[in-house]
Amino acid sequence: MLRSLKAATAAATLSLTLACDAAPEVFHSDKARFRLETVASGLEHPWSLAFLPDGSQLVTERAGRLRRIRGGQLDPDPIAGVPEAAVAGQGGLLDVVLHPDFANNQLLFLSYAHENHQGKTTRVSRARFAGDRLESVEVIFDALPRSRTNRHFGGRMAFDEDGYLYLAVGDRGDRPRAQDTRDDAGGVHRLTIDGDPAPGNPFLELTDVQPTFFTYGNRNIQGMTRHPITGEIWTHEHGPRGGDEINLISAGTNYGWPTITYGIGYSGLPITDKTAMPGMAQPLHYWDPSIAPSGMAFYTGTDVPEWQGDLFVGALKLQKLVRLKIREGQVVEEEDLITGFGKRIRDVRMGPDGVLWLLTDERDGEVLRLVPQ
């Protein structure tokens, strides 16, 4: 009898322990309690996320595949017809964004690293989404000149309120290119959906600046989002060792890289002794040391009213989510979230369901929802 009672007690304890272990971890912040809900896993270094009108999602894998998630299930087969990406170093299939009128025209845009005999570059293609495949795929932009490096492709994209496409191109690991306005590297380009310079671009009348440039002097932008109220385009970019920046993108602005920076070289040696110069913009906010920022999104949900309008930025190196409260152009509050999560955050998106979505940059990458409790 005693042995049976002990066995029953042990079994009950084990069952309770397993149940507790299986329970999702609840994270605490200054403003909210929330858990991370796994929507899908088994993705190879997912890079970008887009929400389709029917409630499903598209996810890019840096390895060159475009995947679809329906009803919380990852389709076993990738979307067919995706253009071939050069998968090496930081290159591969990068961003996916939907045309603002996607519900009617089914157009989407992909950025990716592309290679030919002249080298690699950041390329953008437009395509028509046909459910399980892409059709009418057309290259609309190649950043030139090409080079042999596998770094700093940039690749983040966003549409403005006028329907023009913003594309970030990194300096390709060659610092001086970001200040060379005849070179497509190291800046933000503003394009029509055909890849032409957008009307109203700041350098259209100049012969020594690429007409698609909207800004230059950018090192490697990998976060870009449109402000939900003002419609302005916000970005962040990787610094070297320190000097990660958040910037409000303004027409014709030189953001200074590498002439000014708050970071130092990976060798530990200075890149420059200047953090400011006339004619070069200061960042809205910067990190030192580097957090290696990734995707970013403004919170527009209603579950956590205290987060309304806050900017959320993922971090690769420091494996966390950062919340920034911004008032009148100043960061007035900064909070680190999910610091014990232990995975690289690649993308952050505000979902149509009113919650934040995250991608983890892992060989077995995940799509996650941040669900308030």
Side-chain angles (χ1 to χ4, degrees):
M1 173 72 74
L2 182 59
R3 181 175 299 174
S4 298
L5 181 59
K6 287 182 177 179
T9 301
T13 301
L14 177 60
S15 176
L16 179 61
T17 301
L18 291 175
C20 291
D21 288 345
E25 181 179 359
V26 175
F27 295 90
H28 297 262
S29 79
D30 293 342
K31 309 294 184 183
R33 297 170 67 250
F34 56 89
R35 61 182 172 83
L36 292 177
E37 174 186 279
T38 301
V39 177
S41 59
L43 293 150
E44 186 176 357
H45 296 286
W47 211 91
S48 177
L49 177 69
F51 301 95
L52 294 170
D54 66 359
S56 62
Q57 299 84 38
L58 292 178
V59 184
T60 60
E61 293 178 289
R62 189 162 52 81
R65 295 178 291 270
L66 180 63
R67 310 294 298 274
R68 189 175 187 180
I69 301 169
R70 287 188 265 202
Q73 298 293 319
L74 180 66
D75 283 0
D77 297 321
I79 302 295
V82 174
E84 183 177 356
V87 183
Q90 297 171 2
L93 183 60
L94 305 174
D95 213 354
V96 55
V97 297
L98 308 183
H99 187 275
D101 195 27
F102 177 88
N104 292 315
N105 62 28
Q106 302 295 296
L107 293 180
L108 60 76
F109 297 77
L110 295 169
S111 66
Y112 52 101
H114 179 263
E115 183 174 20
N116 63 17
H117 68 281
Q118 294 176 323
K120 299 184 182 70
T121 192
T122 305
R123 168 173 279 189
V124 176
S125 284
R126 184 187 66 214
R128 192 175 304 278
F129 181 69
D132 61 350
R133 65 180 298 105
L134 299 184
E135 298 177 346
S136 304
V137 179
E138 182 179 351
V139 176
I140 65 166
F141 185 80
D142 274 334
L144 299 175
R146 294 169 178 263
S147 63
R148 300 294 175 185
T149 68
N150 295 323
R151 294 176 289 159
H152 298 186
F153 291 95
R156 284 293 178 196
M157 298 185 291
F159 276 97
D160 67 12
E161 292 182 318
D162 296 321
Y164 298 124
L165 181 66
Y166 290 66
L167 165 70
V169 179
D171 69 0
R172 302 289 285 109
D174 187 356
R175 299 172 189 167
R177 294 184 67 180
Q179 290 295 321
D180 185 350
T181 54
R182 296 163 298 180
D183 184 325
D184 287 331
V188 175
H189 298 263
R190 183 169 174 261
L191 312 166
T192 70
I193 63 171
D194 296 319
D196 296 323
N201 275 4
F203 303 114
L204 287 177
E205 306 303 321
L206 302 180
T207 59
D208 58 345
V209 184
Q210 294 293 82
T212 55
F213 263 139
F214 196 73
T215 71
Y216 64 103
N218 301 109
R219 183 175 184 265
N220 190 29
I221 291 173
Q222 294 202 337
M224 182 180 290
T225 191
R226 191 172 81 190
H227 193 282
I229 296 175
T230 67
E232 295 166 314
I233 301 297
W234 291 56
T235 67
H236 69 59
E237 60 184 271
H238 287 253
R241 286 177 58 181
D244 302 333
E245 297 182 1
I246 289 182
N247 290 302
L248 175 59
I249 292 301
S250 179
T253 300
N254 179 358
Y255 288 87
W257 174 259
T259 307
I260 60 173
T261 180
Y262 287 92
I264 61 173
Y266 294 113
S267 66
L269 297 176
I271 294 169
T272 174
D273 61 353
K274 298 179 178 62
T275 57
M277 283 191 69
M280 296 183 177
Q282 285 291 294
L284 177 71
H285 184 69
Y286 71 90
W287 286 277
D288 189 12
S290 172
I291 67 168
S294 55
M296 63 191 293
F298 287 98
Y299 182 79
T300 58
T302 57
D303 290 331
V304 187
E306 297 85 356
W307 285 358
Q308 271 286 330
D310 289 357
L311 184 64
F312 286 77
V313 179
L316 295 160
K317 178 181 177 182
L318 295 191
Q319 301 178 346
K320 62 183 179 181
L321 183 65
V322 180
R323 179 182 66 85
L324 300 173
K325 184 171 290 295
I326 301 166
R327 290 181 184 153
E328 298 179 356
Q330 300 292 321
V331 173
V332 297
E333 186 178 316
E334 179 172 358
E335 182 184 15
D336 291 343
L337 306 177
I338 61 173
T339 53
F341 183 50
K343 295 182 180 179
R344 291 160 54 90
I345 305 299
R346 169 56 74 181
D347 201 8
V348 181
R349 300 281 173 165
M350 189 66 214
D353 56 355
V355 302
L356 290 165
W357 291 56
L358 311 177
L359 299 182
T360 64
D361 183 30
E362 310 284 335
R363 288 187 61 84
D364 183 9
E366 297 175 295
V367 180
L368 306 166
R369 295 171 71 243
L370 196 152
V371 183
Q373 296 295 285

